[in-house]
Amino acid sequence: MHIMIDLLPKLEKRAAGSGSSAGGGGGCSCAHTPGEEPRSWGKQRARAAAAEPGWPNKHSLRLLQDFSNEPSSNLTSHSREKVTERAESDKRVRQLQLGSEKRGLMRDTASGQKQRAVQGSSRLKALYEHPLYKTDLPHLSEDDTLFNLNNDIRFYPKAAGQQEWHNEGNVEEEEYSPTGEATAESYPNWLRFHIGINRYELYSRHNPIIGGLLKDLVSQKITSVAMKSGGTQLKLIMSFQNYGQALFKPMKQTREQETPPDFFYFSDFERHNAEIAAFHLDRILDFRRVPPVAGRLVNMTREIRDVTRDKKLWRTFFVSPANNICFYGECSYYCSTEHALCGKPDQIEGSLAAFLPDLALAKRKTWRNPWRRSYHKRKKAEWEVDPDYCDEVKQTPPYDRGTRLLDIMDMTIFDFLMGNMDRHHYETFEKFGNETFIIHLDNGRGFGKHSHDEMSILVPLTQCCRLKRSTYLRLQLLAKEEFKLSSLMEESLLQDQLAPILIQPHLEAMDRRLRLVLKVLSDCVEKEGFSAVVENDLDGQPSLHHHQAHGGR
């Protein structure tokens, strides 16, 4: 057997040669572009060993066998043909049929969603034309922008000199300054996104750069991959050809799977589609505090294994008994062969969240959420047993002045609509002090249960009974039939490559939860009075003069 394994690279080379002479029809079962030489584990390891002595040699090919030790799981098509038995063949056929049926169902679902969205395709556009989505920011001084374009941008490597990074692969869209110096318009979209961050928002409304950045996340060539340190579950840092970076969360569950009722919130899976949906929900609520996120279908062979320099990640790749490429990486939870991430055969879905500026350039402050859960099986947090807990928070900086407490209420509603119980900390940009927005990071534990509304997420709102007027009016607007939250989300999510992102029950759950939020606010107003509950943050907005104090269009 070992002799056969040692000969695999030579056999593959011979097979690749004959296959290409016959028109490139044969080769590895893993996905690759037509005419491309099939990549083999043997070749990849040989190249790596030649470049770096510490990497495993060709004898490590034994690791490619699945853990059941069946010869039929070897990656090379020639060895599979020789050892595959009839029972294994039947099993494979059944698996392929099942996978085909599932993909067909997903396509039908997406088609149905698009058909439904066509009827209300103008809802999203109409929403963004509404006066509530046209309010103006205060005048921005240098202290209100994260970067000074002339002074700070020099700290970005390659930002001022090499313009060939712009729209890599889209030559017709490239623009060059006649002087040979880079202009702001020639910077890649990720850098322009960073430049646009200010005291009040991560990005402005209707910013075309965000659309371009979302496209980049899906289309840019991945040049390197590494595991992100920390965290309970596996996340990858992906770098692109235009020097941008994004955080990749791979698919762990199907759209239909709900969090088991006996799971604690702190041991739940992180969902890639929740990250995507959270970005769209945040934008529809007009918070614009979630970094841009897009779904992408990634080739695990070419775009992860072949480009990573992370040995710990690289060594966890293996071939499953179903001949799918799998890996599991290293993390606190769910990083083992039993919880491996497997492709079909090497394609895997995931979310890609654009990186915020490097901490060396724009420091962020991490804050403990006052309504943080205990993260313990038996203990309760203080807010869970003290109904007057908010009174204490209101007297504690930074919640005793400014908008921070009101921003916590925004985040509370955002989390409740998603069903996200995992908001233990939040971050702000240090430059702006306490007078700035909360960044809504790490939303992967949302959209886990559509059949259950976790009312404890709303406790900050029920205890404090405070909300911005702008948020209050937008929530009322999104509850109207012509601006129905579920329909707006459905339409917005169809823009993503991996649509459908959410199944219909999750969309309907958001409408139901929105009504619950408005009921809590109604009770607050009845108990304390409108002016004590709703903080007017819309002074000086001429487009909203026709709005009544208690809502309306």
Side-chain angles (χ1 to χ4, degrees), residues 373-436:
R373 296 177 184 274
S374 66
Y375 288 81
H376 193 278
K377 295 181 178 70
R378 290 176 295 277
K379 293 181 181 178
K380 288 184 177 292
E382 185 180 349
W383 59 267
E384 294 181 276
V385 296
D386 181 5
D388 299 321
Y389 177 77
C390 185
D391 294 336
E392 183 182 337
V393 175
K394 287 178 181 177
Q395 299 172 26
T396 307
Y399 308 103
D400 58 341
R401 61 175 61 88
T403 63
R404 183 62 60 83
L405 184 64
L406 295 169
D407 287 338
I408 290 283
M409 299 303 112
D410 285 350
M411 185 172 67
T412 294
I413 292 169
F414 175 61
D415 284 335
F416 179 69
L417 293 173
M418 295 190 297
N420 178 27
M421 301 172 68
D422 187 36
R423 188 70 68 185
H424 45 83
H425 288 82
Y426 64 86
E427 295 183 19
T428 59
F429 286 108
E430 198 172 279
K431 176 181 178 178
F432 303 134
N434 293 335
E435 298 299 323
T436 187

Side-chain angles (χ1 to χ4, degrees), residues 151-182:
N151 297 330
D152 294 335
I153 205 63
R154 70 178 184 274
F155 293 112
Y156 274 97
K158 307 180 187 293
Q162 299 184 14
Q163 298 185 45
E164 62 268 20
W165 70 0
H166 180 62
N167 288 329
E168 193 77 40
N170 298 316
V171 179
E172 69 277 4
E173 295 182 14
E174 291 185 4
E175 297 177 4
Y176 294 92
S177 167
T179 63
E181 296 180 356

Side-chain angles (χ1 to χ4, degrees), residues 234 315-316 318 326-330 334-337 339-341:
L234 180 68
R315 286 168 178 159
T316 66
F318 65 95
C326 305
F327 73 100
Y328 51 88
E330 288 188 358
Y334 307 126
C335 282
S336 63
T337 52
H339 298 100
L341 304 164

Side-chain angles (χ1 to χ4, degrees), residues 206-481:
H206 320 302
N207 187 344
I209 294 168
I210 301 304
L213 179 55
L214 292 172
K215 290 180 181 177
D216 288 347
L217 292 172
V218 172
S219 61
Q220 273 287 321
K221 181 180 179 181
I222 299 168
T223 56
S224 69
V225 177
M227 286 186 292
K228 183 180 183 298
S229 60
T232 58
Q233 299 182 39
L234 180 68
K235 294 178 276 286
L236 302 178
I237 298 172
M238 291 187 167
S239 301
F240 302 120
Q241 195 162 12
N242 68 353
Y243 303 104
Q245 288 185 307
L247 187 66
F248 180 76
K249 289 190 177 182
M251 177 178 178
K252 296 185 178 76
Q253 290 182 305
T254 65
R255 310 289 196 274
E256 295 79 17
Q257 284 179 288
E258 280 198 279
T259 302
D262 292 325
F263 264 42
F264 285 99
Y265 53 88
F266 49 81
S267 59
D268 191 13
F269 287 108
E270 292 188 30
R271 285 164 285 275
H272 72 301
N273 59 317
E275 293 285 358
I276 300 166
F279 165 68
H280 288 261
L281 176 62
D282 175 82
R283 188 162 56 172
I284 286 172
L285 292 170
D286 202 43
F287 295 154
R288 287 168 284 121
R289 299 166 196 169
V290 174
V293 183
R296 177 164 177 166
L297 195 63
V298 172
N299 185 299
M300 294 164 61
T301 306
R302 290 202 309 268
E303 297 181 306
I304 299 180
R305 190 204 71 193
D306 289 356
V307 298
T308 187
R309 302 298 297 167
D310 189 331
K311 294 180 185 179
K312 291 182 179 179
L313 172 63
W314 189 75
R315 286 168 178 159
T316 66
F317 276 82
F318 65 95
V319 182
S320 75
N323 288 313
N324 294 320
I325 304 297
C326 305
F327 73 100
Y328 51 88
E330 288 188 358
C331 62
S332 303
Y333 294 162
Y334 307 126
C335 282
S336 63
T337 52
E338 293 80 12
H339 298 100
L341 304 164
C342 295
K344 294 190 181 298
D346 59 357
Q347 304 285 317
I348 191 169
E349 287 185 18
S351 63
L352 276 166
F355 262 32
L356 293 173
D358 191 282
L359 291 173
L361 303 175
K363 292 181 180 179
R364 300 196 298 273
K365 185 174 176 61
T366 301
W367 304 79
R368 181 188 173 100
N369 183 357
W371 282 271
R372 181 186 187 271
R373 296 177 184 274
S374 66
Y375 288 81
H376 193 278
K377 295 181 178 70
R378 290 176 295 277
K379 293 181 181 178
K380 288 184 177 292
E382 185 180 349
W383 59 267
E384 294 181 276
V385 296
D386 181 5
D388 299 321
Y389 177 77
C390 185
D391 294 336
E392 183 182 337
V393 175
K394 287 178 181 177
Q395 299 172 26
T396 307
Y399 308 103
D400 58 341
R401 61 175 61 88
T403 63
R404 183 62 60 83
L405 184 64
L406 295 169
D407 287 338
I408 290 283
M409 299 303 112
D410 285 350
M411 185 172 67
T412 294
I413 292 169
F414 175 61
D415 284 335
F416 179 69
L417 293 173
M418 295 190 297
N420 178 27
M421 301 172 68
D422 187 36
R423 188 70 68 185
H424 45 83
H425 288 82
Y426 64 86
E427 295 183 19
T428 59
F429 286 108
E430 198 172 279
K431 176 181 178 178
F432 303 134
N434 293 335
E435 298 299 323
T436 187
F437 62 92
I438 290 171
I439 308 171
H440 295 165
L441 294 173
D442 202 6
N443 305 296
R445 284 186 170 140
F447 299 104
K449 294 180 181 179
H450 54 73
S451 56
H452 173 71
D453 303 325
E454 183 53 56
M455 296 302 296
S456 65
I457 302 174
L458 271 186
V459 165
L461 186 63
T462 57
Q463 289 183 347
C464 297
C465 277
R466 295 283 302 281
L467 194 67
K468 294 177 185 176
R469 182 168 178 249
S470 59
T471 302
Y472 180 74
L473 293 175
R474 288 188 189 105
L475 293 177
Q476 289 188 323
L477 191 70
L478 295 173
K480 294 178 180 291
E481 189 61 35

